[in-house]
Amino acid sequence: MRESDIQISRVDWSVVLIYFALVIFGWFNIYAAVYDSQAPQSMFDMSINSGQQLVRIGISVILIILIMVADYRFFENLSLFIFLFFIALLVVTPFIGKEVNGQVLSIGFGSFRIQPGEFAKFATALALAKIMERPTFDLTKTKNQLIAFGVLFIPILLILLQPDTGTAMVFFAFLLMFYREGLPQWYFLLGFGMVALALLALGVENNLYLVAAIALLVITLSLLGRRSVKKTIVLSLIGLGLIAFTYSLDYVVSKLPPHQQNRIMVLFNPNIDPLGVGWNVTQSKIAIGSGGLFGKGYLEGTQTKFDFVPEQHTDFIFCTLGEEFGWVGSLVVISLFTGLLYRLVIMAERQKTRFSRIYGYGVISILLFHFMINIAMTIGLFPVVGIPLPFFSYGGSSLWSFTVLLFIFIKLDSSRASQLGRLN
C-alpha cells in the first residue's frame, strides 16, 4: 500500500467533521447577523458578508488540500523559515499596512488583505516545536526558559506596536504548552496570582485594603515552618514587589488608549455607561438571554435585525447564536468545541515525535484561549479585546490561520507511522 493511502486512512476524520460543522454553522450565523428582512438577499450574494465568507471557506478548502498533499517533513524542516517570514511581515506592517481605527493590522493590495498577526500564531507554534524538540531541551533549566520565552515575546512585542492588545494576549496561551513540556508550576501560580491581584486592584477602590492583606500574608508565611532571616528577607521583598505592582496598575491603565480603558471599566461596572462604552456587552447579554431555551428561530433575532450589537458578525457572533438558537444551540456549539479540544489532546498524546506533540499542544492552547475568551467577552466576564471565535467569526485571516493551524497538526498526526519509521 502506498504511503499516501496509509496517511489518508490515519486521518482523524472526527476532527475534520467537527471543523466543517463549525465552519458551516458559523457561515449560517454570519448570514443571520447581516440579514435584513425588509430587503432580503441571498446568502450567496457576494455583496454581503455571508457571500464573501463563502469564498473564504472555498480558499480554506484549497489550503487544506495543499497541506494534506504536502510532505509532513515540509512543516518541520521549514518551521523556522516560516516563523521568520511572518515576523518580517509583522515588522513592515506598521509602515505599509492600512490604518483602521488607529490600528495598523493588515497588509495587501486592493480588497485582498491579510493580518500577519493572525498567521504568526501557527508560525510561532511551529518555531517553538522545532526549538523545543531536542531531547536535551529541558524547560526546568533557566537557559531554555529564556530561549522559549524569547521566541514567544518577539511576535508579542511586534503586535503590540500595531497596536493590537487582543492578538498579543493570545500568545500567552502557549504557556499551557510550556507547562505540558515541563515548565515549573510556580510560573503558573505566580501568573494566576498576579492576574487575581490585578483584578482586585482594579476592582477595589481603596488599595490600602490590598496592601494590608499582602502584609498579613507575608507575616503569616514568615511565621510558618522554619524561621530564618533569609526567608524573612525574601518574603518581604516579594511583598514589596506585590505592593509596587498593585500601585503601578493605575499608571499602566492610564497609558492605555481610551477605548481600552473603557473596556476595563465596563468589566467591573457594566452599568457605568449603558448607552456608551457599556453598550456592546449589555446588548450582547440581552441578545443571548432573550434566546431562552430554544431561541427565537433562525433569522428571527430582534437584536440582530435592528443592529443593537455592533460587530455581531465578528467578535460578537456568539450572541447571534444565543438569540436565534437559544441555550440548546449554544450548548451544541460549545460541545463541538469541547469535543474538538478533547480529540486534539488525544492526538497530541499519541504522537511519535516531540515536534508533533509540542506543536499539537500549541494548537490546543491557541484554540482553547480563543474559545474561552470570545465567549467570556460576549457575556461580560472579560474585557472586549477583539478575539474572534475560531472557524465561526467572519474574516479571512482568522479563518485561514485557524485552518492552517489545525490541519498542519492533522497532517502530522496522519503521518505518525512514517515518523516512527524514520526514527527507527
Side-chain angles (χ1 to χ4, degrees), residues 25 293-295 318 321-322 325-335:
F25 202 4
L293 183 61
F294 296 105
F318 188 78
L321 170 71
F325 294 94
W327 182 86
V328 173
S330 301
L331 179 62
V332 169
V333 171
I334 290 174
S335 298

Side-chain angles (χ1 to χ4, degrees), residues 18-28 57 391-392 399 403:
I18 292 175
Y19 163 83
F20 279 106
L22 288 171
V23 169
I24 299 302
F25 202 4
W27 179 53
F28 275 93
I57 293 172
F391 316 121
F392 220 82
L399 176 60
T403 298

Side-chain angles (χ1 to χ4, degrees), residues 248-300:
S248 68
L249 282 172
D250 288 336
Y251 174 79
V252 172
V253 171
S254 69
K255 296 300 180 181
L256 293 174
H259 69 279
Q260 293 183 356
Q261 295 183 39
N262 292 334
R263 289 169 178 176
I264 294 174
M265 292 167 55
V266 169
L267 176 66
F268 295 100
N269 187 2
N271 298 319
I272 190 171
D273 185 9
L275 298 179
V277 297
W279 177 265
N280 287 19
V281 174
T282 300
Q283 296 302 318
S284 174
K285 291 192 288 186
I286 290 174
I288 294 172
S290 66
L293 183 61
F294 296 105
K296 298 175 181 177
Y298 187 56
L299 304 181
E300 297 298 326

Side-chain angles (χ1 to χ4, degrees), residues 306-361:
F306 297 107
D307 295 325
F308 281 107
V309 185
E311 305 301 327
Q312 194 164 337
H313 59 296
T314 54
D315 299 342
F316 285 90
I317 191 70
F318 188 78
C319 71
T320 305
L321 170 71
E323 182 180 21
E324 299 195 347
F325 294 94
W327 182 86
V328 173
S330 301
L331 179 62
V332 169
V333 171
I334 290 174
S335 298
L336 286 173
F337 274 108
T338 304
L340 174 64
L341 292 167
Y342 173 74
R343 287 301 308 170
L344 291 177
V345 170
I346 293 176
M347 289 167 61
E349 288 297 331
R350 71 188 182 195
Q351 296 309 300
K352 308 302 181 183
T353 66
R354 288 194 70 185
F355 176 87
S356 297
R357 185 186 72 230
I358 294 170
Y359 179 77
Y361 271 99

Side-chain angles (χ1 to χ4, degrees), residues 122-306:
F122 86 84
T124 303
L126 285 172
L128 288 171
K130 185 63 177 178
I131 291 170
M132 295 170 61
E133 72 170 343
R134 301 193 312 271
T136 56
F137 196 95
D138 185 356
L139 273 178
T140 61
K141 297 180 179 179
T142 304
K143 176 184 176 181
N144 293 332
Q145 291 172 9
L146 292 175
I147 293 173
F149 280 105
V151 172
L152 183 61
F153 275 98
I154 291 173
I156 290 176
L157 294 175
L158 291 173
I159 292 171
L160 285 175
L161 293 176
Q162 295 180 354
D164 185 3
T165 307
T167 301
M169 288 176 55
V170 174
F171 287 81
F172 287 102
F174 284 114
L175 291 174
L176 177 62
M177 180 265 283
F178 286 174
Y179 177 72
R180 169 61 181 83
E181 295 304 316
L183 189 69
Q185 291 184 358
W186 69 266
Y187 276 92
F188 292 89
L189 295 176
L190 178 63
F192 285 122
M194 298 291 277
V195 171
L197 182 59
L199 292 174
L200 287 171
L202 293 171
V204 176
E205 292 185 4
N206 192 341
N207 285 335
L208 287 177
Y209 294 113
L210 286 179
V211 172
I214 293 171
L216 180 61
L217 178 62
V218 169
I219 293 172
T220 303
L221 292 176
S222 299
L223 296 176
L224 292 176
R226 184 179 177 181
R227 303 179 188 178
S228 67
V229 175
K230 181 179 179 180
K231 175 184 176 182
T232 302
I233 293 175
V234 171
L235 287 173
S236 298
L237 290 175
I238 292 175
L240 290 173
L242 292 175
I243 292 172
F245 173 75
T246 300
Y247 279 100
S248 68
L249 282 172
D250 288 336
Y251 174 79
V252 172
V253 171
S254 69
K255 296 300 180 181
L256 293 174
H259 69 279
Q260 293 183 356
Q261 295 183 39
N262 292 334
R263 289 169 178 176
I264 294 174
M265 292 167 55
V266 169
L267 176 66
F268 295 100
N269 187 2
N271 298 319
I272 190 171
D273 185 9
L275 298 179
V277 297
W279 177 265
N280 287 19
V281 174
T282 300
Q283 296 302 318
S284 174
K285 291 192 288 186
I286 290 174
I288 294 172
S290 66
L293 183 61
F294 296 105
K296 298 175 181 177
Y298 187 56
L299 304 181
E300 297 298 326
T302 53
Q303 294 290 107
T304 299
K305 283 182 179 179
F306 297 107

